[in-house]
């Protein structure tokens, strides 16, 4: 009785084999959060980008659980708060992008560690969190993806815990991949003496993510 009871409480292996590659493909595809990780990797380096990642992962976890629990449906009934988050988060990213292009923003593009302290870890975490929870495509994806992988006949908590842990692990690995890619690109441009191009590309990417977040 005990082995069968444990077996029924666990998520089906077939579900995991389908869920893991499905979510990896979706997560690694360029999107709002990945573009933000790429841009920050270019500008502030991978180590400080981790703060943004922690905030983004917290937001993804909340969106995942809320989507399964039906909170998303409530938010759709009251879109004003959702729109406010989108506009505030998007506007802030556009502001940073413009400042980066003008080379006077909070995200300096040289390698002086003292100047990189201008951005607080709290600010980075908040921006990652807002970007994740105010992403309408993220909500739509979680609403459509997660519920079909939940088996009603099995306990809910173990299933959602395993699925969310897989989501967060995959998302984290993809964020690290993108931020490292951004850092590699910035080093290449710096070696070529094209700092002006680096400023422009970084600023345009950041502003583009902001517009995408606000109006996507």
């Amino acid at each position: 009785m005990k082995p069968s009871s444990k077996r029924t409480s666990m998520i089906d292996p077939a579900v995991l084999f389908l869920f893991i590659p499905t979510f990896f493909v979706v997560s690694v595809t360029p999107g709002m959060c990945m573009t933000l990780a790429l841009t920050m990797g270019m500008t502030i380096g991978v180590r400080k980008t981790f703060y943004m990642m922690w905030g983004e992962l917290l937001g993804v976890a909340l969106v995942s659980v809320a989507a399964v629990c039906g909170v998303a449906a409530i938010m759709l009934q009251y879109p004003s708060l959702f729109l406010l988050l989108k506009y505030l988060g998007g506007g802030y990213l556009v502001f940073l992008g413009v400042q980066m292009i003008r080379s006077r923003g909070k995200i300096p593009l040289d390698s002086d560690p003292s100047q990189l302290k201008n951005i607080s870890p709290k600010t980075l975490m908040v921006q990652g969190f807002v970007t994740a929870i105010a992403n309408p495509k993220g909500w739509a994806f979680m609403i459509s993806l997660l519920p079909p992988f939940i088996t009603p006949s099995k306990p809910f908590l173990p299933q959602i815990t395993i699925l969310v842990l897989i989501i967060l692990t995959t998302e984290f690995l993809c964020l690290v991949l993108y931020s490292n890619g951004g850092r590699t690109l910035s080093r290449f441009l710096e070696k070529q003496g094209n700092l002006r191009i680096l400023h422009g590309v970084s600023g345009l990417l950041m502003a583009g993510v902001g517009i995408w977040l606000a109006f996507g």
Side-chain angles (χ1 to χ4, degrees), residues 27 36 52 60 151:
S27 185
L36 185 61
M52 184 280 292
V60 168
T151 305

Side-chain angles (χ1 to χ4, degrees), residues 1-215:
M1 288 294 293
K2 289 184 179 180
S4 63
S5 175
K6 287 183 178 180
R7 195 174 295 114
T8 57
S9 66
M10 297 294 291
I11 193 168
D12 290 331
V15 172
L16 294 180
F17 290 145
L18 181 60
F19 181 79
I20 292 174
T22 299
F23 191 83
F24 175 78
V25 170
V26 174
S27 185
V28 78
T29 301
M32 216 175 285
C33 293
M34 296 303 155
T35 305
L36 185 61
L38 176 72
T39 307
M40 289 190 169
M42 292 174 64
T43 55
I44 63 175
V46 177
R47 187 168 62 179
K48 290 205 72 172
T49 304
F50 275 111
Y51 292 110
M52 184 280 292
M53 294 181 194
W54 304 139
E56 193 269 345
L57 292 175
L58 177 59
V60 168
L62 289 177
V63 170
S64 303
V65 175
V68 175
C69 295
V71 176
I74 299 176
M75 288 189 68
L76 292 176
Q77 294 291 326
Y78 303 96
S80 57
L81 177 60
F82 186 68
L83 289 175
L84 179 62
L85 285 172
K86 285 181 60 179
Y87 293 145
L88 288 178
Y92 181 68
L93 286 177
V94 171
F95 169 76
L96 286 181
V98 172
Q99 295 300 308
M100 288 160 61
I101 294 173
R102 298 174 63 185
S103 304
R104 293 204 306 265
K106 292 184 178 180
I107 302 183
L109 295 178
D110 59 49
S111 57
D112 184 357
S114 64
Q115 292 192 26
L116 295 180
K117 293 180 181 179
N118 288 336
I119 305 180
S120 69
K122 180 180 178 181
T123 299
L124 293 170
M125 291 181 68
V126 169
Q127 189 57 59
F129 178 78
V130 170
T131 301
I133 66 172
N135 182 1
K137 291 184 180 179
W139 282 97
F141 175 73
M142 292 302 179
I143 292 171
S144 61
L145 175 72
L146 278 177
F149 287 95
I150 301 294
T151 305
S153 61
K154 294 179 178 291
F156 172 77
L157 186 58
Q159 294 185 79
I160 191 61
T161 300
I162 292 173
L163 293 180
V164 169
L165 286 176
I166 292 173
I167 289 172
L168 295 181
T169 301
T170 305
E171 189 81 357
F172 175 72
L173 292 175
C174 292
L175 287 169
V176 171
L177 177 65
Y178 272 80
S179 63
N180 274 284
R183 187 56 181 163
T184 300
L185 179 59
S186 71
R187 286 174 177 170
F188 171 76
L189 291 175
E190 287 172 1
K191 287 180 181 179
Q192 299 300 312
N194 293 325
L195 288 177
R196 181 174 297 180
I197 295 177
L198 179 58
H199 280 242
V201 170
S202 302
L204 287 174
L205 282 173
M206 185 73 79
V209 174
I211 294 172
W212 187 0
L213 176 59
F215 300 104

